[in-house]
Amino acid sequence: MRRLKEVRAVFKEKTGTIYKITWEEMAEGAKIWEKHLLESNEYPRVELDEAIDDMGRFLIAACMINLTESETSRNVEVTRVVMDYKMSAKVSVTADVNLPTGYSIALHGPMMTCRPQGDELDEAVDRLQEECFRYIDGDRAQQKLFQEEGEK
């Protein structure tokens, strides 16, 4: 069993975007989560970038910033998503936001509770988690780093 703890997408002029993904794994029958970190600048599938970007709309809604959907997609650059599993699954989003006033801010949002019934936030987190694990497992842009058993 594994679960996502954090994903960061950091752009640097010399190296491009670096993806830092932290996750935990627990072996069957074990009681302790093992922490893992992957840091890579290999291009992800487009779906990973989309899943990261999609978290911006929840940050904007939680902070009650008045941006349309198209303004959110143009003006919000998600840089970090953090998961917490203490009492229930919660997520926090950090982004650089270009406001309609012309100013830019680094915005760190509140912890938002994921609903077990499957609301939009929960579905977005599930999609993000799935794409992060695909990246971890080697399924990246235009290639698969590790072949499945039986594949040639």
Side-chain angles (χ1 to χ4, degrees), residues 34-51:
E34 267 186 18
K35 191 173 185 177
H36 300 272
L37 169 68
L38 171 71
E39 187 172 323
S40 177
N41 64 349
E42 289 198 28
Y43 293 112
R45 291 167 15 102
V46 172
E47 292 85 351
L48 175 57
D49 280 333
E50 289 172 350

Side-chain angles (χ1 to χ4, degrees), residues 4-36:
L4 182 65
K5 288 295 288 178
E6 180 178 357
V7 59
R8 286 180 183 233
V10 180
F11 178 77
K12 293 186 180 180
E13 193 70 36
K14 289 185 178 182
T15 59
T17 302
I18 296 174
Y19 296 87
K20 295 181 182 180
I21 303 173
T22 306
W23 74 99
E24 295 177 324
E25 286 190 36
M26 183 188 298
E28 193 172 317
K31 294 183 182 185
I32 298 174
W33 288 94
E34 267 186 18
K35 191 173 185 177
H36 300 272

Side-chain angles (χ1 to χ4, degrees), residues 11 16 19 48 60 67 84 89-91 124 133:
F11 178 77
Y19 296 87
L48 175 57
I60 296 304
L67 293 177
D84 180 25
K90 293 184 179 183
V91 63
F133 287 128

Side-chain angles (χ1 to χ4, degrees), residues 103-121:
Y103 294 104
S104 293
I105 60 170
L107 187 59
H108 179 72
M111 291 303 283
M112 299 173 277
T113 303
C114 299
R115 307 277 184 245
Q117 307 90 308
D119 66 355
E120 278 189 63
L121 176 60

Side-chain angles (χ1 to χ4, degrees), residues 76-125:
V76 177
E77 183 182 335
V78 175
T79 56
R80 182 177 182 217
V81 178
V82 177
M83 297 294 302
D84 180 25
Y85 300 95
K86 287 185 180 112
M87 298 296 279
S88 61
K90 293 184 179 183
V91 63
S92 176
V93 180
T94 301
D96 295 327
V97 180
N98 296 318
L99 299 172
T101 59
Y103 294 104
S104 293
I105 60 170
L107 187 59
H108 179 72
M111 291 303 283
M112 299 173 277
T113 303
C114 299
R115 307 277 184 245
Q117 307 90 308
D119 66 355
E120 278 189 63
L121 176 60
D122 188 51
E123 290 171 9
V125 167

